[in-house]
Amino acid sequence: MPLSDATIRKAKSAEKPFKLFDERGLFLLVTPTGGKLWRFKYRINGKEKLISLGGYPDVSLADARDRRDAARKRVAAGVDPSEERRAARAATEDSFEAIAREWFDKFKSRWTEGHRRTVLSRMEDNLFPHIGSKPVRDLAAPEVLAALRRIEARGANETARRVRQICGQVFRYAVATGRAERDPSSDLKGALAPVEVRNHAAITDPKELGALLRVLDSYEGTLVVKCALRLAPLVFVRPGELRQAQWSEIDLDSAEWTIPAWRMKMKQTLTVSLARQAVAVLRELQPVTGDEKYVFPSGRGGSRPMSNNAVLAALRRCGIEKHEMSGHGFRATARTILDEVLHERVDLIEHQLGHAVKDPNGRAYNRTAFLKDRAAMMQRWADYLDKVKAAHPQANAS
C-alpha cells in the first residue's frame, strides 16, 4: 500500500532503523533517533543503487514522489542520478572559489593581518562573482582575462595586476594538488594595460628636509601622533611597521627595536638601532602608552594600533601636500641622503631598510649582520637630521 501523511506522522522510532515503503522504489527510513529520511532505490546497468531525497517533514510525501519521478526519468534516459550528484559535488569542490579559499587558508598564517584582508577582499570582490563557481581545470585564459578587464574598466590597473598574480598562485596550487593541468594566467603576460609607475613622494633636498622637520615639530595634535611623526624619519621603517610597533619589541636600554618576521614584508626579522634621539621620543611617549600593547595605539582604544591614515592626515594638517611627502617617503629620503650626501655604505643602508642583501657568493647575509656598524650609521643619520633642522631656512645645510 502507498504511504499516507497520517502513516508517516504516526511512525515512531524503534531500537533499530526500519523502512516504510511507498511505491516505485520510494521508501522512508525511520532511524532510532527519530529521523525520517526519504530514499529512492533503483537499478541501472544491472546494479542496485540508492540516493537520498531529503528528510520529512521538510520534504513532504508529495515532494518526495516528485523527486522520485524526476530521478526515474533520469534512469530511463540512461543517466545514473547517483553519479550525476557525485559529479556535481566534485565540480563544486573543485571550483575556483573552493580551491582559492583552500589555498588562502593554507598560506594565510604566513601573512600579516593586513595582507590577509587584502588578498581575500581582492578575490571576493573581483574573482568569485565571475569565475568562482567554475571548475578550476576548465578555466581558460580568456575567462580569467574577462574578470581582470572588469577591474581595468574602473581604472584600477595596479589592482588588476595584483589580482592576476593571485590567480596564478591559486592555479599553481590547483596544479600541485592534482586538480588542474596548468596555470592559464601565465598566458596573460602582456595582455593587461601597463601600470603607471609612481614613486612615493619624498623630499631629498637637505634644505627642504630641514623645513619639513621643523614643520613636524610644530604639529599640535595628540602626543601619540606627534611622536609617530618625530620617530618616522629617525627609523625610516614602512608605515605599517611603525604604526603597529609594540612595546614588547622595544628595548630602550639596549636602544634596539626588533620587528618580528611575520610583520615584515620580506618575512625576515629586522633589528632597528635606535639613536639617542629616537630613544628620547619613545621615553617621552612611554608614560602615556607604555601600559598598552601598541606604542602608537588607536585613539578609539589601546587594543588596536593607530589607523593607516593617521600619519598621512597629520602631514596634511601640517600643510605638507601629497605630492611633497608621503608616510612611505621617509624611506626614500633616508635612502637617497644616506648614500648621496653622507656617503654611507650602500649595503648598510639596504640592511637597515629591511631589504635582502647578499654576500659576494650570492648568499643572504644573516639578519644581524653589521649591527654595530648600522647602529653607528643610525646615530649619524639622527645627528644629521638635527643639523638640517637647526639650520636657518636660507642656509646651505648640505
Side-chain angles (χ1 to χ4, degrees):
M1 293 289 293
L3 287 175
S4 67
D5 283 318
T7 303
I8 297 170
R9 286 195 303 270
K10 292 177 182 178
K12 304 296 183 183
S13 60
E15 190 174 324
K16 294 183 178 181
F18 63 93
K19 302 172 183 176
L20 296 175
F21 289 93
D22 187 50
E23 56 185 357
R24 298 178 184 173
L26 179 65
F27 66 88
L28 188 73
L29 177 67
V30 182
T31 69
T33 58
K36 297 177 180 180
L37 309 174
W38 292 112
R39 298 288 187 264
F40 171 55
K41 182 168 63 173
Y42 63 97
R43 293 186 70 84
I44 190 167
N45 299 325
K47 294 182 179 179
E48 187 175 278
K49 291 199 167 186
L50 196 70
I51 61 170
S52 170
L53 300 181
Y56 182 89
D58 293 335
V59 178
S60 67
L61 174 59
D63 291 337
R65 286 170 175 168
D66 288 342
R67 295 184 182 188
R68 173 204 60 197
D69 292 344
R72 281 173 57 86
K73 289 180 180 178
R74 301 299 288 160
V75 173
V79 177
D80 186 342
S82 179
E83 288 300 310
E84 197 172 41
R85 287 187 177 186
R86 187 199 62 76
R89 283 196 302 270
T92 300
E93 292 168 359
D94 288 349
S95 69
F96 180 87
E97 179 173 351
I99 293 177
R101 290 189 182 279
E102 181 183 320
W103 164 79
F104 177 83
D105 289 339
K106 186 173 183 63
F107 293 98
K108 65 182 181 181
S109 62
R110 306 181 185 183
W111 306 331
T112 64
E113 181 181 350
H115 186 61
R116 287 196 294 269
R117 287 196 302 267
T118 298
V119 170
L120 187 59
S121 66
R122 282 174 173 166
M123 293 193 298
E124 291 179 337
D125 294 343
N126 303 292
L127 295 174
F128 295 165
H130 310 297
I131 62 173
S133 63
K134 298 184 178 182
V136 72
R137 69 172 60 248
D138 295 338
L139 279 168
E143 294 172 284
V144 179
L145 181 60
L148 300 178
R149 286 279 191 251
R150 289 184 171 92
I151 306 172
E152 289 185 329
R154 63 177 192 261
N157 293 356
E158 173 63 19
T159 299
R161 186 176 70 85
R162 299 286 186 181
V163 171
R164 178 191 167 234
Q165 291 174 345
I166 292 172
C167 281
Q169 291 174 296
V170 173
F171 281 121
R172 289 191 291 275
Y173 177 75
V175 171
T177 54
R179 288 170 288 181
E181 298 298 325
R182 61 184 302 275
D183 167 20
S185 72
S186 63
D187 297 333
L188 301 181
K189 186 176 181 180
L192 297 180
V195 176
E196 181 182 351
V197 178
R198 295 182 179 179
N199 294 322
H200 295 285
I203 291 173
T204 56
D205 177 82
K207 286 194 291 185
E208 293 179 8
L209 177 58
L212 169 68
L213 296 173
R214 289 189 290 273
V215 169
L216 297 184
D217 275 357
S218 68
Y219 177 73
E220 296 180 352
T222 66
L223 179 64
V224 171
V225 176
K226 185 180 180 71
C227 287
L229 285 175
R230 291 164 57 197
L231 191 63
L234 289 166
V235 294
F236 51 85
V237 294
R238 296 177 180 87
E241 294 156 7
L242 178 68
R243 71 181 186 85
Q244 295 183 62
Q246 300 180 21
W247 283 111
S248 61
E249 301 167 355
I250 295 173
D251 185 339
L252 291 178
D253 293 331
S254 298
E256 287 186 348
W257 170 21
T258 303
I259 307 177
W262 66 269
R263 284 212 297 109
M264 294 295 298
K265 181 178 180 180
M266 304 302 293
K267 300 297 178 258
Q268 292 286 329
T269 301
L270 175 67
T271 299
V272 180
S273 297
L274 301 172
R276 292 188 301 273
Q277 295 88 331
V279 171
V281 172
L282 291 168
R283 289 199 185 280
E284 181 181 353
L285 185 60
Q286 193 174 35
V288 179
T289 69
D291 293 333
E292 312 260 14
K293 175 181 179 180
Y294 293 103
V295 177
F296 305 107
S298 167
R300 299 180 181 179
S303 62
R304 295 182 297 175
M306 66 163 55
S307 73
N308 281 322
N309 294 324
V311 170
L312 283 178
L315 289 173
R316 304 302 168 249
R317 284 184 60 187
C318 290
I320 300 166
E321 298 297 331
K322 182 177 180 180
H323 67 275
E324 295 178 299
M325 192 65 175
S326 66
H328 208 286
F330 289 114
R331 291 169 62 79
T333 296
R335 174 66 178 84
T336 300
I337 295 180
L338 281 168
D339 179 18
E340 298 179 4
V341 178
L342 299 183
H343 307 296
E344 298 286 349
R345 285 168 45 190
V346 173
D347 62 329
L348 296 183
I349 301 170
E350 293 297 306
H351 270 300
Q352 201 55 59
L353 287 166
H355 294 163
V357 182
K358 295 184 178 181
D359 65 18
N361 295 318
R363 297 170 298 191
Y365 276 110
N366 186 286
R367 61 184 174 81
T368 59
F370 309 115
L371 271 181
K372 184 176 180 180
D373 293 332
R374 285 157 54 192
M377 179 186 73
M378 294 297 280
Q379 187 59 56
R380 288 191 293 272
W381 171 245
D383 292 342
Y384 175 81
L385 294 181
D386 281 348
K387 174 186 173 184
V388 296
K389 181 169 63 173
H392 188 276
Q394 301 304 318
N396 184 353
S398 62

